[in-house]
Amino acid sequence: MIREAHVNGIKLVYREEGDPASPPLLLIHGRTANHNDWNGITQHFAARYRVLALDLRGHGASDYPGSYAVTEMAEDVVALLDHLGIERATLIGHSLGGVVAYQVAMNHPERVERLVLEDAPPPLPFKNRPPIVEDDSTGFDWRMMHQIERQLVDPDPAWMEGLGKITAPTLVLSGGKQSHVGTEAVAARIPGAQLVTIEAGHLIHVNARGPFLEAVDAFLNG
């Protein structure tokens, strides 16, 4: 079921599957993607969770307000939880979605039951990143691409400090040698985080869906 919520001054579109009485689980896609990125994943979790998969601001059918701070995206997530009357949720975030998820976990620890970060970039300066070149790709706001890039290349030092304050049980999934991200640095910083490496590159849930689901299930059931 596709729904929309007017929260934090914008329209957010999200997909909902599973029993509304089940524990809530929120899936947060990566940059340029949308809720459809989780097709096949949502159905797996909907057997025992109330699954929510949103389109972040600047993506998919959600609003393109022109303002794309990662911290704003995290506040959008919290506002969506408020709108739905959800006190605590499990968050699963891929790439940019993982950065948004760890922002929620560090700034609103009481809202996060468990945290899964799939190949989420660490808040460390990126060296030698090629510049973004716009093409005819659609389905997202190019302004978002440029603004997010600046934040990922030169992140706020407070983010690294914030990772150390995360209290939710955390699973960090690395795509291994084929990934450009280096999410191991995130796992090293979050207290008690489990690190699981799946040699699948950056898109673990796409390239290795079985091992991805196996690792996440083991963590969520643990």
Side-chain angles (χ1 to χ4, degrees), residues 11-13 29-35 54-65 68 73 96-97 100 138-142 144-145 148:
K11 177 186 78 176
L12 280 186
V13 169
H29 62 77
R31 188 162 54 160
T32 75
N34 58 50
H35 70 265
L54 83 163
D55 291 353
L56 290 168
R57 62 168 62 204
H59 293 79
S62 289
D63 277 349
Y64 293 14
Y68 300 109
M73 291 180 167
L96 168 62
V100 173
T138 57
F140 59 89
D141 187 346
W142 278 101
M144 175 278 303
M145 285 291 287
I148 292 294

Side-chain angles (χ1 to χ4, degrees), residues 5 17 25 47 51 70 74 78 95 106-107 119 127 132 151 175:
E17 293 181 32
L25 182 149
V51 177
V70 173
V78 174
S95 195
M106 68 173 72
N107 295 321
D119 225 43
K127 300 281 192 278
I132 286 176
Q151 295 167 75

Side-chain angles (χ1 to χ4, degrees), residues 99-119:
V99 179
V100 173
Y102 68 59
Q103 295 280 344
V104 175
M106 68 173 72
N107 295 321
H108 301 275
E110 73 288 352
R111 306 305 293 270
V112 182
E113 190 71 42
R114 283 175 175 260
L115 181 64
V116 178
L117 304 173
E118 178 195 352
D119 225 43

Side-chain angles (χ1 to χ4, degrees), residues 139-207:
F140 59 89
D141 187 346
W142 278 101
R143 293 174 296 177
M144 175 278 303
M145 285 291 287
H146 295 291
Q147 290 181 38
I148 292 294
E149 185 69 9
R150 288 196 288 274
Q151 295 167 75
L152 295 181
V153 168
D154 186 23
D156 183 339
W159 293 3
M160 190 53 115
E161 195 180 323
L163 288 177
K165 298 175 182 167
I166 290 176
T167 55
T170 302
L171 171 66
V172 177
L173 295 172
S174 165
K177 296 182 185 67
Q178 299 169 64
S179 171
H180 62 288
V181 166
T183 197
E184 294 81 3
V186 174
R189 186 74 187 141
I190 297 175
Q194 297 177 34
L195 174 65
V196 173
T197 300
I198 299 171
E199 293 290 346
H202 188 51
L203 294 167
I204 305 170
H205 69 279
V206 175
N207 296 336

